[in-house]
Amino acid sequence: MAMNPNKIVVLSGAGVSADSGINTFRAADGLWESHRVEDVASPEGFAANHELVLRFYNERRRQIQQAKPNAAHMAIASLESHFEVVVITQNIDDLHERGGSSNVLHVHGEITKARSVYDDVTVFNIGYEDINLGDTCELGGQLRPHIVWFGEAVEHIDTALDHISDAGKVLVVGTSLNVFPVAGLVRYAHPNAEKVINALDLEAPPANYEYLQGKAAKVVPSLVQRWIAQ
Ligand code: APR
């Protein structure tokens, strides 16, 4: 596959939104907002307790509405005036879009969207509205967040693979690379691409990636300056 030197792929995770006050998934206590991820981000957890899960995401949605994109989101968006940019994000928040990015693939779904338990194709834009028990589609199916839970199929993975394989520059930012298949994408970057990864505490950054340790809100703007000045 030929490499496109003018194309940048950004693969982001929760760490890019950490500087906007949104908690990451695997903090010290291993809990997400004091819940086990399996209890609130799995079909089993939803089946066991619709209300707990709907309330959990209603809280996340309100928190995201209050949050603001940070310098990392803005810097990533500013790349678009110099390069063809595709953002592949594991995040369910809309901070990349609100920071100005116009080409964002959400591989784990989106907090601003809902779907019916009867039909995982029809997706409704709900913005920051709550989803409550009894909110149903016209077939009477309970609405749920359009978010990829553990064990469910990720979105857009083939498209993501195509994009990362011919990008001239790859920035992996704010992800522990714990969750597959998305984490596997990093290996498909073009061998000659410039590959950079930013995180706080990666034990083993992927081979052939330049590791920039530090907060994304600080590290990403200076990397973007470097790339634009090249
Ligand atoms: N700046 C840069 N990186 C940061 C910052 C920060 N301010 N804060 C944390 N990080 C890094 C951490 O070093 C860690 O590597 O962000 C990463 C966060 O990792 P996770 O919490 O595992 O988040 P993520 O990789 O996005 O999780 C992937 O797991 O729970 C599922 O579906 C959920 O999309 C999520 C997926």
Side-chain angles (χ1 to χ4, degrees), residues 140-164:
Q142 171 67 47
L143 293 186
R144 54 159 281 184
H146 178 57
I147 286 171
V148 177
W149 286 334
F150 283 96
E152 297 183 324
V154 297
E155 303 263 307
H156 313 301
I157 197 76
D158 296 342
T159 311
L161 189 57
D162 286 348
H163 282 308
I164 202 163

Side-chain angles (χ1 to χ4, degrees), residues 118-196:
Y118 286 171
D119 163 6
D120 56 9
V121 173
T122 313
V123 174
F124 305 96
N125 282 304
I126 56 169
Y128 304 110
E129 293 299 310
D130 285 356
I131 303 177
N132 297 308
L133 209 55
D135 292 348
T136 64
C137 71
E138 71 280 6
L139 303 173
Q142 171 67 47
L143 293 186
R144 54 159 281 184
H146 178 57
I147 286 171
V148 177
W149 286 334
F150 283 96
E152 297 183 324
V154 297
E155 303 263 307
H156 313 301
I157 197 76
D158 296 342
T159 311
L161 189 57
D162 286 348
H163 282 308
I164 202 163
S165 53
D166 70 355
K169 296 180 183 343
V170 174
L171 166 61
V172 178
V173 47
T175 177
S176 62
L177 297 174
N178 264 319
V179 174
F180 287 79
V182 176
L185 288 173
V186 296
R187 288 200 299 271
Y188 290 89
H190 195 285
N192 302 337
E194 187 178 347
K195 301 179 272 293
V196 180

Side-chain angles (χ1 to χ4, degrees), residues 12-16 18-19 24-27 37 90-91 108 148 150 173-179 198-202 214-217:
S12 72
V16 80
D19 298 320
T24 61
F25 290 92
R26 290 164 187 86
V37 173
Q90 300 171 87
N91 299 338
H108 288 166
V148 177
F150 283 96
V173 47
T175 177
S176 62
L177 297 174
N178 264 319
V179 174
N198 161 241
L200 287 190
D201 55 8
L202 281 188
K215 285 176 174 277

Side-chain angles (χ1 to χ4, degrees), residues 3-134:
M3 189 179 81
N4 175 349
N6 195 47
K7 179 172 177 180
I8 295 183
V9 160
V10 177
L11 173 61
S12 72
V16 80
S17 297
D19 298 320
S20 298
I22 309 278
N23 286 338
T24 61
F25 290 92
R26 290 164 187 86
D29 59 5
L31 296 178
W32 184 25
E33 302 289 346
S34 71
H35 289 273
R36 283 178 351 105
V37 173
E38 296 71 24
D39 293 342
V40 291
S42 73
E44 298 76 19
F46 183 62
N49 194 333
H50 277 27
E51 276 185 297
L52 173 107
V53 172
L54 291 174
R55 191 169 53 246
F56 178 80
Y57 285 101
N58 290 344
E59 287 160 12
R60 300 287 63 72
R61 206 173 290 107
R62 277 189 225 115
Q63 186 195 20
I64 286 164
Q65 180 179 23
Q66 305 302 325
K68 301 222 175 334
N70 65 60
H73 296 108
M74 318 298 253
I76 289 164
S78 73
L79 286 168
E80 293 190 5
S81 45
H82 303 266
F83 301 93
E84 179 198 340
V85 184
V86 180
V87 178
I88 299 163
T89 187
Q90 300 171 87
N91 299 338
I92 57 174
D93 66 54
D94 57 353
L95 295 176
H96 278 300
E97 291 88 341
R98 286 162 55 196
S101 287
S102 61
N103 192 357
V104 183
L105 287 175
H106 287 267
V107 291
H108 288 166
E110 298 175 67
I111 193 74
T112 55
K113 294 185 176 167
R115 66 174 197 254
S116 157
V117 291
Y118 286 171
D119 163 6
D120 56 9
V121 173
T122 313
V123 174
F124 305 96
N125 282 304
I126 56 169
Y128 304 110
E129 293 299 310
D130 285 356
I131 303 177
N132 297 308
L133 209 55

